[in-house]
Amino acid sequence: MSGRPVRIARGRFAAMALLCALAAFAAGCGIVERNPKHPAVQAIESLLELRRDDVRDAKAYTRFFEDSAIATALVEPGFVPTGTPRVPRWRDLYVSKESSSTAEVAVLWEPDDAFKEWPKATVFSLALVDGRWVVVDAREETQAPEPAPSR
């Protein structure tokens, strides 16, 4: 019986260590919550994830554009087999310019043999419309633009 209190103490110690680790993780998540990604960056990231996953439902894209015709055009399969990523993987996304109602989000692409002619970077121009960030234009860049100063 003398070994039982030691096992209970070890179990309590392990439980306390686990609780401390969870608390530290939660505190770290709190830091992320206080410094979230810019909503325009979140919008472009979500749009790119749909394109990477080759989602072919126009409704999935309508929230990213003011004009639903653009969403419809994105789902046209052309000669690309279903399930084929429509964009390469990206290395970084960040705001390169911003105002209270507009933002430019730079996307730096990973080199990919399946996308040999892809630009080094794409800059998406977004506008804040009815409380959501929508894409109004995009341009290819040979050099990555500088990030916008932090606010």
Side-chain angles (χ1 to χ4, degrees), residues 81-127:
T82 302
T84 302
R86 304 304 280 271
V87 297
R89 295 189 187 283
W90 50 93
R91 178 174 61 215
D92 198 11
L93 285 90
Y94 57 88
V95 174
S96 58
K97 286 186 184 177
E98 84 175 294
S99 73
S100 59
S101 61
T102 64
E104 289 191 355
V105 175
V107 179
L108 306 183
W109 302 104
E110 289 285 340
D112 187 329
D113 288 340
F115 298 91
K116 291 181 182 183
E117 302 298 319
W118 211 258
K120 180 177 182 171
T122 301
V123 176
F124 290 88
S125 298
L126 294 94

Side-chain angles (χ1 to χ4, degrees), residues 35-98:
N35 296 312
K37 292 180 189 175
H38 190 285
V41 170
Q42 291 175 338
I44 294 300
E45 188 171 49
S46 295
L47 173 61
L48 295 179
E49 287 169 356
L50 290 173
R51 299 297 291 153
R52 184 78 190 154
D53 292 341
D54 190 29
V55 172
R56 303 237 178 148
D57 178 6
K59 289 180 185 177
Y61 294 99
T62 56
R63 66 186 169 123
F64 301 107
F65 303 98
E66 193 169 19
D67 181 359
S68 63
I70 297 171
T72 302
L74 287 177
V75 299
E76 296 297 322
F79 298 105
V80 180
T82 302
T84 302
R86 304 304 280 271
V87 297
R89 295 189 187 283
W90 50 93
R91 178 174 61 215
D92 198 11
L93 285 90
Y94 57 88
V95 174
S96 58
K97 286 186 184 177
E98 84 175 294

